[in-house]
């Protein structure tokens, strides 16, 4: 979307297959020249210092080493650059969803809902603390927003198919 608006876009991912999808989608949309793909981890992107105005990390930050990723973001962001983080959370106020979450926790001891989902009490100190041993400022939190993400399933088989796409469920099923 940003490339269609005339912005240069750099897609960073450690998964070559995901970057191939980005490149193919950009080419199909006629903006392939405006999208550059970089195969790298979020903790060490190799992007030029101060070169990024807007960075988005969507449904991936919880997989990264938070302090290292934030230091790296502070390095590549321009002086007034913005970092946007987004989580795709489930509604834990819904009874069966809460029960499902308890099952995920029971069968995958490595899963921590407070880190995999956005919990301001857990994440605010991580995001705002000084970086790099205190020589870099943490990030100022401008806003927390929640948006409804309604989805429906085609019965139990549909729900199971979606659950198999959650890496922490797939890991529990394979163990």
């Amino acid at each position: 979307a940003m490339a269609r608006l005339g912005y240069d876009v750099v897609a960073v991912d450690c998964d070559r297959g995901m970057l191939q999808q980005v490149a193919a989608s950009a080419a199909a949309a006629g903006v392939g020249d405006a999208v550059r793909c970089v195969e790298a981890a979020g903790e060490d992107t190799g992007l030029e210092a101060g070169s990024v105005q807007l960075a988005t990390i969507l449904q991936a930050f919880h997989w990264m080493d938070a302090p290292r990723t934030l230091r790296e973001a502070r390095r590549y962001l321009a002086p007034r650059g913005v970092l946007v983080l987004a989580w795709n959370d489930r509604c834990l106020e819904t009874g069966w969803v809460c029960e499902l979450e308890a099952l995920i926790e029971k069968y995958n001891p490595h899963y921590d809902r407070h880190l995999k989902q956005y919990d301001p009490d857990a994440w605010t100190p991580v995001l705002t603390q000084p970086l790099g041993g205190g020589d870099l400022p943490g990030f100022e939190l401008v806003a927390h927003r929640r948006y409804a993400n309604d989805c429906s399933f085609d019965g139990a088989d549909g729900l199971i198919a979606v659950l198999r796409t959650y890496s922490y469920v797939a890991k529990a099923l394979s163990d």
Side-chain angles (χ1 to χ4, degrees):
M2 298 299 288
R4 281 192 215 123
L5 295 172
Y7 294 96
D8 291 327
V9 174
V10 180
V12 178
D13 202 302
C14 56
D15 184 330
R16 182 172 291 146
M18 292 301 290
L19 292 171
Q20 290 169 344
Q21 289 289 326
V22 168
S25 295
V31 293
D33 291 343
V35 178
R36 179 170 61 107
C37 292
V38 174
E39 187 175 347
E43 297 90 343
D44 186 20
T45 65
L47 298 176
E48 184 180 335
S51 65
V52 175
Q53 296 294 323
L54 170 65
T56 60
I57 302 175
L58 309 176
Q59 196 52 27
F61 187 71
H62 62 272
W63 294 115
M64 301 174 186
D65 178 300
R68 287 183 54 217
T69 301
L70 292 171
R71 277 194 305 277
E72 177 67 354
R74 180 60 77 201
R75 186 191 67 74
Y76 63 66
L77 281 170
R80 295 185 48 82
V82 175
L83 174 63
V84 176
L85 304 174
W87 282 255
N88 187 13
D89 290 346
R90 288 173 295 287
C91 179
L92 298 179
E93 289 79 37
T94 302
W96 72 269
V97 175
C98 197
E99 291 174 27
L100 175 64
E101 193 78 5
L103 286 171
I104 293 170
E105 289 176 321
K106 178 179 178 181
Y107 290 103
N108 185 346
H110 303 290
Y111 176 77
D112 179 348
R113 80 171 69 181
H114 301 292
L115 295 179
K116 301 301 185 213
Q117 300 210 123
Y118 181 71
D119 176 352
D121 293 334
W123 279 110
T124 296
V126 173
L127 299 171
T128 59
Q129 70 185 349
L131 305 168
D135 59 332
L136 294 171
F139 284 86
E140 174 187 356
L141 299 184
V142 176
H144 298 271
R145 299 278 190 269
R146 289 200 177 272
Y147 302 94
N149 183 12
D150 297 330
C151 61
S152 58
F153 307 104
D154 185 21
D157 289 340
L159 175 59
I160 291 168
V162 169
L163 288 174
R164 289 186 186 277
T165 69
Y166 298 172
S167 56
Y168 40 84
V169 171
K171 177 170 179 21
L173 292 174
S174 67
D175 288 348

